[in-house]
Amino acid sequence: MTALEPGDAAGTGDAALKEAADGRGGTATATGTATDAGGVLGRSLRALSVGIVSVVLLIAFEATAVGTAMPVAARELDGVPLYAFAFSAYFTTSLFGMVLSGQWADRRGPLGPLTAGITAFALGLVLSGTASTMWYFIAGRAVQGLGGGLVIVALYVVVGRAYPEHLRPTIMAAFAASWVIPSVVGPLAAGTVTEHLGWRWVFVGIPALVVVPLALALPAIRRRASGPVDPEAPVPALDRRRIRLAFGISLGAGVLQYAAQDLRWFSLAPAAAGAALLVPAALGLLPRGTFRSARGLPSVVLLRGVAAGSFIAAESFVPLMLVTQRGLSPTLAGLSLAVGGATWALGSFVQSRPRLEPYRERLTVTGMVLVAAAIATAPSVLVPSVPVWVVGVAWGWGCFGMGLVISSTSVLLLKLSPPAEAGTNSAALQISDGLSNVLLLAAGGAAFAALGGGAAGGHGAVAAAGSIAHPAAFAAVFLPMAAVALLGAWVATRMHERRTG
């Protein structure tokens, strides 16, 4: 899974989310049911629905495939010490991309940021797939992240404008379902390609697949959702302060990540500079009280970050651990996480049942306990006598917990947000998600490198020679992340505002 999973609807431009919350919308809402007979696959919406769902499907496939190919890529590029940076670079630039896309889409419509985002996403894949050094590879991942941030937000603006209110849950459900098949097929396909053709083809092969969904979606978006919401109204001013804060949080997170990977005394200077950029920006973009877990909305936003950050930071190291410590092939290592897509979807379905609504707080606490238990169980396979299937079982339960938690935070955020603040608060939720991914990946990567994780696996075959190298480096990633997830169980008890009277 990825922190940018589109099933959450948490990164949209402010205007589009206000419309969705108010029951208002763009062209499709105004025209009524006459233009959408047959639902999201009716004649008027079929090309648009197939196109945008295909875009989500490709992003999901890339997200699930990268984890399978990454251990081989990092080893071949002599970049295992920078392993975490290859993941966090994506999230770092996507933070800026999300805010920029929301501003761009609100002012000019979603067509521009969507086109630019898909182009940047494809370019980043090509850069990573042709990289000759790890830093070049990381630069490609950063370009990818910028594109991913632009795309995810623009897609939700399209939904807010092009689909009438009664069809939006259906297309959102299609977005969420688009992650299930890639989570099962992606690791197998990526592992097979990596083993027989090379890891580079996992990256350079995907851009060619973008052409078809673009050809379907862009003309339909141009017809139904291009331009400002009200062509006769003045174009809203660009919120330059918000753009500056977004740039500051992305730059600061990137500098901190660099400092965490370079464990020498003079790294304190870039670490201090990164913190000086990041902290004020985060305080300006997140609700007041988020970092002290104030009751209500601030705790919802904090929980989203704690859950996503701890889980993604741990999940990023699972394939590398199985490849280097237990000698699994990239295909089998990736398949260890495959069941997670189905159980994540099951968790999302369970929390959506109306009869469970009064128990939502209890569900999120249970979900975070399951996540903590899964992360803590994963490094048990560092003991040779523990069968590797333990990771798959544990991760299935962890993903079920994430399905309960991530969907619940989205539901509670909209419940606690006035319609006029839905867009700002939803963007804060996504920023908390991405920022936590970056910071916890940085912390995990620093611990991994400090304990000799960069030597894991060496440069040769991933077999017995590297199978017992530096297990403490992996334990130093998983066990602290389990503790962070357990802290999330306490944060989950503070999501409801204190009852009075």
Side-chain angles (χ1 to χ4, degrees), residues 10-435:
T12 8
D14 292 357
L17 272 176
K18 290 175 187 176
E19 290 165 7
D22 292 341
R24 298 180 283 114
T27 308
T29 305
T31 57
T33 58
T35 62
D36 55 83
V40 297
L41 292 179
R43 186 174 62 179
S44 63
L45 291 171
R46 186 182 303 132
L48 178 62
S49 298
V50 172
I52 62 177
V53 170
S54 297
V55 170
V56 175
L57 187 70
L58 288 174
I59 291 175
F61 179 80
E62 185 276 339
T64 56
V66 161
T68 303
M70 194 74 79
V72 179
R75 193 175 63 249
E76 186 174 308
L77 296 173
D78 296 327
V80 174
L82 299 173
Y83 185 78
F85 213 164
F87 286 96
S88 62
Y90 182 102
F91 296 115
T92 298
T93 53
S94 69
L95 291 170
F96 180 72
M98 285 183 284
V99 176
L100 176 61
S101 184
Q103 294 274 310
W104 190 349
D106 284 347
R107 299 179 74 244
R108 302 293 182 184
L111 187 61
L114 182 63
T115 304
I118 291 177
T119 302
F121 191 81
L123 177 61
L125 284 167
V126 173
L127 290 174
S128 292
T130 57
S132 56
T133 68
M134 192 63 176
W135 281 112
Y136 191 91
F137 181 89
I138 290 169
R141 291 285 291 161
V143 174
Q144 243 185 289
L146 178 63
L150 290 169
V151 168
I152 292 300
V153 172
L155 284 177
Y156 284 100
V157 178
V158 170
V159 171
R161 293 194 184 188
Y163 290 82
E165 185 179 2
H166 70 281
L167 291 182
R168 289 173 192 159
T170 304
I171 195 65
M172 291 295 188
F175 282 5
S178 297
W179 287 79
V180 176
I181 294 176
S183 68
V184 177
V185 177
L188 177 62
T192 302
V193 170
T194 299
E195 290 180 38
H196 296 284
L197 297 178
W199 65 267
R200 296 180 185 277
W201 287 100
V202 174
F203 292 87
V204 299
I206 293 176
L209 302 178
V210 175
V211 176
V212 173
L214 274 182
L216 287 170
L218 293 185
I221 293 171
R222 186 175 290 108
R223 289 194 304 270
R224 302 182 66 90
S226 63
V229 176
D230 184 355
E232 298 181 0
V235 176
L238 185 69
D239 189 342
R240 298 183 185 279
R241 175 181 176 273
R242 193 166 180 82
I243 294 295
R244 285 196 302 270
L245 289 175
F247 183 76
I249 203 171
S250 296
L251 181 60
V255 173
L256 269 178
Q257 173 69 35
Y258 173 80
Q261 295 295 149
D262 188 15
L263 299 176
R264 288 175 286 184
W265 65 268
F266 49 78
S267 296
L268 292 175
L277 286 168
L278 187 147
V279 172
L283 291 173
L285 291 170
L286 298 178
R288 181 175 297 178
T290 295
F291 295 108
R292 56 182 174 86
S293 192
R295 285 193 174 273
L297 182 66
S299 286
V300 173
V301 173
L302 178 62
L303 178 62
R304 177 58 163 265
V306 168
S310 60
F311 188 80
I312 294 299
E315 185 181 58
S316 300
F317 282 87
V318 170
L320 183 67
M321 179 175 66
L322 294 177
V323 168
T324 60
Q325 304 300 299
R326 296 301 297 266
L328 266 65
S329 68
T331 302
L332 291 177
L335 283 175
S336 68
L337 306 178
V339 70
T343 56
W344 189 307
L346 179 61
S348 297
F349 173 79
V350 168
Q351 65 80 37
S352 71
R353 298 299 86 198
R355 70 180 66 179
L356 294 178
E357 179 60 34
Y359 309 102
R360 187 168 297 281
E361 180 179 299
R362 200 173 300 172
L363 285 175
T364 53
V365 172
T366 301
M368 289 310 303
V369 170
L370 289 174
V371 171
I375 296 173
T377 301
S380 66
V381 299
L382 294 168
V383 179
S385 60
V386 176
V388 293
W389 54 259
V390 168
V391 172
V393 173
W395 224 249
W397 281 105
C399 285
F400 179 79
M402 286 294 286
L404 294 175
V405 173
I406 296 299
S407 296
S408 290
T409 55
S410 295
V411 170
L412 285 170
L413 179 116
L414 292 176
K415 182 179 179 179
L416 295 171
S417 299
E421 299 176 10
T424 298
N425 291 340
S426 294
L429 193 76
Q430 192 69 42
I431 289 168
S432 175
D433 187 317
L435 180 61

